[in-house]
Amino acid sequence: MKNLNKELRNPATVKALLKKIKEFGPWPVTLMEVCGTHTMAIFRYGIKDMLPSNIRLLSGPGCPVCVTSLWTIDTALEIAKQPGVILTTFGDMVRVPGSRTSLAELKAAGIDLRIVYSPLDALQLAEENPAREVVFFAIGFETTAPTIAAAVLSSCERGINNFFILGSNKTVPQALKVLLTGSDVKVDGLICPGHVSTVIGSKPYEFIPREMGIPAVITGFEPVDILQGILLIINQIKSDAPRVEIQYRRGVDKEGNTHALALLYQVFEPADGYWRGLGEIPGTGLKIKKEYRDYDAALRFPVRVPKMKEPVGCRCGDVLRGAITPLECPLFNNSCHPEKPVGACMVSMEGICAAYYKYGK
Ligand code: SF4
């Protein structure tokens, strides 16, 4: 693994790839990545600055924390306040502002909040605390949903009945369709998400070249991966032959992980999903199936939460669509910074505003 990483960060290979990319010519193209890990890798390795100025990289809605709606966060905050509840979630979610407060502030005020690395940790907590009700606030895309499904199935098998899921998982391909058909930004090629694709494979992206006429390339996360992915895209643009290609062959194949997909769809079914920045998109949410409704935190804790507006001045929605960069948000590095974030994109480790703040300067 160490050797592979070394190879994928090899300066000579990077140089050679950049040389080939520069041969593309002067035509301006905009490529978009839709994966928070890609966003951070692109910034961390300074890939934007290495590319010729006519090749523009834009970030899309690839950070699962950032696309989670304000209403969903407010619902989690309300459930966290219910007597006897232990709310568990990933660390990234803790400081994300809801409309009035955040989980971090509620924890300081006394709620029982635990950070977990996996829904299986939350299940373990439920088993160890039978007198409490343990809610896992689930966010993420197809990548995390199979593990959440596995936790529900394991809970079922072990007869643990104080474990619940507040589900906000989303599925990516249809959201890409909405993003690419929106009028905000013209994208000439898509860098498809690596992690999501390990689960769903490459087939679900086939509509992108077919219907949108642009290349879609699944890449890994190291500098050589990303540059190879960019080279594949621009070669497709040059030859006017858009298709789906897999650069990240060590992680992704055409069919995806059929076992993980079977687990996912054993417990969840497609539903409407609300994406910050893109709105409601039919079929892009995942809801717990009737057979497993006993695990649905939304049914166990039917809290009433009004739909609130995004914080005044926050442009997270526009940033997530690629319509503006964080630098165009008037709050960036003024009233919004990592110590005092106004929007989700400044909090998450994979947030676009956080990446600009950390590396953009
Ligand atoms: Fe939202 Fe802050 Fe980003 Fe502006 S800088 S879009 S307020 S997170």
Side-chain angles (χ1 to χ4, degrees):
M1 187 68 185
K2 232 178 174 177
N3 278 347
L4 180 65
N5 280 346
K6 224 170 151 187
E7 224 174 89
L8 293 170
R9 294 174 191 168
N10 184 321
T13 317
V14 165
K15 232 176 170 176
L17 283 165
L18 283 168
K19 189 167 173 273
K20 284 189 187 157
I21 289 171
K22 281 175 188 157
E23 284 162 13
F24 174 61
W27 302 283
V29 289
T30 299
L31 314 182
M32 181 180 266
E33 95 273 352
V34 281
C35 166
T37 314
H38 277 147
T39 303
M40 282 324 239
I42 285 167
F43 276 90
R44 188 181 311 121
Y45 296 120
I47 288 174
K48 269 178 191 245
D49 297 333
M50 294 181 201
L51 292 173
S53 58
N54 59 314
I55 298 180
R56 178 176 171 235
L57 292 187
L58 255 190
S59 304
C63 156
V65 170
C66 308
V67 297
T68 301
S69 74
L70 199 57
W71 182 81
T72 306
I73 295 164
D74 283 345
T75 302
L77 292 167
E78 223 27 66
I79 291 177
K81 288 194 260 176
Q82 303 303 305
V85 163
I86 301 175
L87 193 101
T88 62
T89 192
F90 297 133
D92 240 19
M93 216 49 225
V94 172
R95 292 178 58 242
V96 177
S99 56
R100 288 196 192 90
T101 182
S102 66
L103 286 169
E105 284 171 357
L106 284 188
K107 184 174 170 62
I111 65 147
D112 195 345
L113 171 74
R114 316 274 180 103
I115 293 170
V116 291
Y117 295 102
S118 151
L120 297 166
D121 297 341
L123 180 61
Q124 185 65 31
L125 200 61
E127 192 168 36
E128 289 163 5
N129 294 273
R132 307 285 301 276
E133 293 184 292
V134 176
V135 176
F136 177 65
F137 180 19
I139 54 144
F141 300 128
E142 291 93 332
T143 332
T144 50
T147 325
I148 297 164
V152 169
L153 294 173
S154 174
S155 179
C156 227
E157 269 169 36
R158 290 152 68 184
I160 301 171
N161 56 13
N162 60 332
F163 174 67
F164 306 93
I165 300 289
L166 177 62
S168 175
N169 277 77
K170 295 178 174 57
T171 53
V172 169
Q174 283 307 305
L176 296 180
K177 195 174 216 173
V178 169
L179 178 76
L180 294 170
T181 46
S183 56
D184 275 333
V185 58
K186 184 183 170 299
V187 174
D188 302 294
L190 206 65
I191 300 172
C192 293
H195 295 318
V196 165
S197 307
T198 59
V199 175
I200 67 172
S202 65
K203 266 188 179 169
Y205 304 114
E206 282 172 1
F207 74 92
I208 296 172
R210 193 178 57 239
E211 295 175 28
M212 318 279 157
I214 64 168
V217 174
I218 301 163
T219 80
F221 303 100
E222 295 295 335
V224 168
D225 288 323
I226 295 169
L227 291 172
Q228 274 177 353
I230 291 170
L231 185 61
L232 289 171
I233 292 178
I234 60 175
N235 280 341
Q236 287 190 36
I237 294 174
K238 218 161 38 177
S239 57
D240 195 19
R243 60 194 179 278
V244 178
E245 274 187 283
I246 305 172
Q247 179 281 333
Y248 189 33
R249 292 215 167 264
R250 64 189 187 281
V252 177
D253 64 25
K254 197 169 177 182
E255 303 300 327
N257 183 334
T258 50
H259 176 67
L261 285 169
L263 261 183
L264 194 168
Y265 288 110
Q266 187 176 342
V267 173
F268 293 103
E269 61 189 359
D272 294 347
Y274 189 91
W275 296 62
R276 194 188 299 239
L278 295 176
E280 189 156 286
I281 307 176
T284 62
L286 288 172
K287 90 172 190 219
I288 296 181
K289 280 182 171 174
K290 257 194 198 146
E291 303 91 284
Y292 300 101
R293 56 183 296 156
D294 289 350
Y295 298 92
D296 191 339
L299 297 177
R300 171 66 189 90
F301 305 97
V303 292
R304 290 173 74 90
V305 176
K307 292 213 161 128
M308 304 295 282
K309 288 200 173 122
E310 296 290 330
V312 179
C314 175
R315 305 280 305 270
C316 276
D318 296 329
V319 168
L320 287 164
R321 286 195 311 278
I324 63 165
T325 71
L327 302 178
E328 292 167 81
C329 171
L331 308 190
F332 182 84
N333 204 15
N334 288 318
S335 53
C336 182
H337 46 83
E339 288 73 40
K340 205 168 179 298
V342 175
C345 301
M346 187 58 94
V347 185
S348 169
M349 268 174 3
E350 299 189 336
I352 308 169
C353 299
Y356 266 80
Y357 188 90
K358 191 166 180 191
Y359 299 107
K361 290 179 284 178

